[in-house]
Amino acid sequence: PPVAIKSSIIKTLSFSFIESLWTSIVAVPYSSSKSTEWTSAGNLFFFLSIIKGFLSTNETADANTKPLDSIAAIESRGFVFASAVSYILKRPFIMLRKKNKLPADVHSVDFELEYGTATIEVHKDSIQENETVLIIDDLIATGGTAEAAAKLIELSGGKVSAFLFVINLYDLKGCDNLIKKGYKVENLIEFPGH
């Protein structure tokens, strides 16, 4: 049927797009404890496997409750990865945007960056009470933006299921800081930030 064909084409294009984007962003030499052999397709598979692991782990007593209700991304490179993953996993996609980019009523969180201050926002009606949200971004440095994203999810009544980053600048301690605050954190590859 035409719908099934269209769906197959979209899935294939989405995977090809993610794979080519992945290659263009991180196809550089690196050292990783997560993989002994570097291939973009292999690491993309690992990226999706981590997310599927979140879906298969149900930490609640209610068997009908999904451990992952939606996927949020931090503007703007996080949108590229999270929107494709959201489509593949059939979960709603929530945009965490820079200040004054969203048209309706918003929750806002101010935070410190390595080089100044910033604000991110989310629509007040984007997240339901007790909704579990996976936050995806391309990179974590000191973790200020990621922590602000978590505050937005919690301010909206949701719960952070986990963080997933493509790159961790490990010596800037952003992942360590999130873990100390009780968040689950995964990343694909690590580089020094200095």
Side-chain angles (χ1 to χ4, degrees), residues 135-183:
I135 301 173
I136 297 177
D137 204 3
D138 66 320
L139 180 135
I140 183 166
T142 62
T145 307
E147 191 175 339
K151 287 180 184 174
L152 270 182
I153 302 302
E154 292 160 358
L155 182 62
S156 300
K159 297 176 182 176
V160 177
S161 172
F163 286 91
L164 181 58
F165 302 100
V166 177
I167 299 169
N168 173 26
L169 301 180
Y170 62 86
D171 57 341
L172 299 181
K173 306 289 186 195
C175 281
D176 294 342
N177 292 336
L178 292 174
I179 291 166
K180 285 178 188 172
K181 293 179 185 295
Y183 297 110

Side-chain angles (χ1 to χ4, degrees), residues 22-74:
W22 177 265
T23 303
S24 69
I25 291 175
V26 296
V28 294
Y30 76 98
S31 169
S32 171
S33 61
K34 301 213 184 283
S35 174
T36 57
E37 185 177 312
W38 167 256
T39 63
S40 63
N43 280 282
L44 175 63
F45 174 77
F46 181 73
F47 184 74
L48 294 174
S49 295
I50 291 171
I51 296 167
K52 287 183 180 180
F54 292 137
L55 294 175
S56 65
T57 304
N58 191 341
E59 298 176 355
T60 64
D62 182 0
N64 296 320
T65 303
K66 298 176 194 170
L68 176 59
D69 296 313
S70 56
I71 296 172
I74 302 167

Side-chain angles (χ1 to χ4, degrees), residues 87-106:
Y87 173 79
I88 291 166
L89 299 180
K90 297 176 178 41
R91 295 295 193 275
F93 174 60
I94 300 167
M95 293 187 290
L96 307 178
R97 307 261 351 238
K98 294 174 184 168
K99 188 174 185 175
N100 298 323
K101 299 268 185 124
L102 295 170
D105 291 336
V106 296

Side-chain angles (χ1 to χ4, degrees), residues 121-137:
E121 299 177 329
V122 67
H123 276 137
K124 287 185 175 180
D125 62 355
S126 291
I127 300 165
Q128 304 301 313
E129 190 72 26
N130 294 318
E131 184 174 338
T132 56
V133 181
L134 170 66
I135 301 173
I136 297 177
D137 204 3

